[in-house]
Amino acid sequence: ETGVTQSPTHLIKTRGQQVTLRCSSQSGHNTVSWYQQALGQGPQFIFQYYREEENGRGNFPPRFSGLQFPNYSSELNVNALELDDSALYLCASSLGAGGPYEQYFGPGTRLTVT
Amino acid sequence: GESVGLHLPTLSVQEGDNSIINCAYSNSASDYFIWYKQESGKGPQFIIDIRSNMDKRQGQRVTVLLNKTVKHLSLQIAATQPGDSAVYFCAENPSGGSYIPTFGRGTSLIVHP
């Protein structure tokens, strides 16, 4: 059984650019949640996908969007990058939504916007 | 607004001591609480959880206490080891709907050998 994996591990982008981050959920998990973690802060919920549908969204602007694929892997897309988007982006998978189901986190993607 | 916060940003202890990490929550509708451990370069890792109908739950070397009267949560780690050094987060989940935990800021635990 493989755990949650994320790619890339690190990424440097310029303000105004677009970025796509990827997450492979743990085997058997159909729910993926994305979080943004600024330095020295706790993770902040961006959105959750359950069986390819968005199942909840945090207080993030529409330029943050996502997808979940039939194999339950997921993408996070951020358009028009801003300096404040620099953070660690975490995805977490779980057996279901409407839990509580234990969330298993990936190691994150460190995004730096210059 | 409603938030989850931690009293102490950094806690330093000696190896073998017991550690207590505290967390205050303000959302009275929360019915489920989780403690996570995050080591450097890794994502958060589930440690222990507790539902609002309980006031204590024990795991291996860890105990979580919930005081709903004062909206306080604590994580006790017995016989702290250097491998326990990490940032610890409490998270709360408001009742109903999707499981979307709200994380606090975190406490850095430093264990000195």
Side-chain angles (χ1 to χ4, degrees):
Chain A
E1 180 181 279
T2 56
V4 178
T5 60
Q6 293 186 243
S7 63
T9 54
H10 296 86
L11 200 54
I12 299 174
K13 288 287 190 178
T14 302
R15 190 170 53 183
Q17 287 187 315
Q18 178 267 343
V19 69
T20 297
L21 309 181
R22 295 178 174 83
C23 171
S24 291
S25 58
Q26 186 161 313
S27 177
H29 288 188
N30 59 20
T31 302
V32 172
S33 303
W34 285 92
Y35 296 83
Q36 180 194 68
Q37 185 176 24
L39 201 61
Q41 303 294 321
Q44 299 298 307
F45 174 74
I46 303 175
F47 42 58
Q48 181 183 80
Y49 279 85
Y50 169 65
R51 294 186 173 180
E52 303 179 60
E53 296 288 331
E54 188 176 290
N55 188 49
R57 188 180 183 93
N59 189 27
F60 280 81
R63 59 189 185 83
F64 285 78
S65 63
L67 283 173
Q68 187 178 33
F69 300 99
N71 66 354
Y72 302 131
S73 65
S74 178
E75 285 183 355
L76 164 65
N77 299 289
V78 186
N79 293 322
L81 284 166
E82 301 176 0
L83 297 179
D84 285 349
D85 295 333
S86 294
L88 180 68
Y89 288 84
L90 296 161
C91 80
S93 72
S94 55
L95 280 171
Y101 293 96
E102 183 175 340
Q103 293 197 330
Y104 294 79
F105 283 83
T109 293
R110 173 72 62 187
L111 173 65
T112 302
V113 182
T114 61
Chain B
E2 304 274 9
S3 65
V4 175
L6 295 173
H7 294 300
L8 296 173
T10 303
L11 177 64
S12 292
V13 301
Q14 290 295 128
E15 182 178 359
D17 287 351
N18 296 332
S19 301
I20 300 176
I21 301 172
N22 296 303
C23 175
Y25 68 94
S26 57
N27 189 341
S28 56
S30 293
D31 66 351
Y32 179 65
F33 304 87
I34 317 100
W35 280 100
Y36 289 92
K37 172 186 180 183
Q38 186 173 24
E39 297 175 273
S40 179
K42 297 183 179 180
Q45 178 185 8
F46 173 94
I47 301 173
I48 192 168
D49 59 0
I50 188 167
R51 292 183 178 271
S52 59
N53 61 353
M54 303 172 67
D55 54 19
K56 181 179 180 179
R57 190 167 188 215
Q58 289 183 295
Q60 186 177 12
R61 283 201 306 118
V62 295
T63 301
V64 55
L65 299 178
L66 175 62
N67 185 331
K68 295 181 288 295
T69 302
V70 295
K71 298 176 187 171
H72 184 267
L73 197 67
S74 69
L75 176 70
Q76 300 178 1
I77 304 174
T80 315
Q81 303 167 0
D84 295 326
S85 294
V87 177
Y88 289 80
F89 294 97
C90 67
E92 62 177 318
N93 180 51
S95 60
S98 300
Y99 172 63
I100 301 173
T102 299
F103 285 78
R105 183 183 167 192
T107 292
S108 176
L109 175 65
I110 300 171
V111 182
H112 300 283

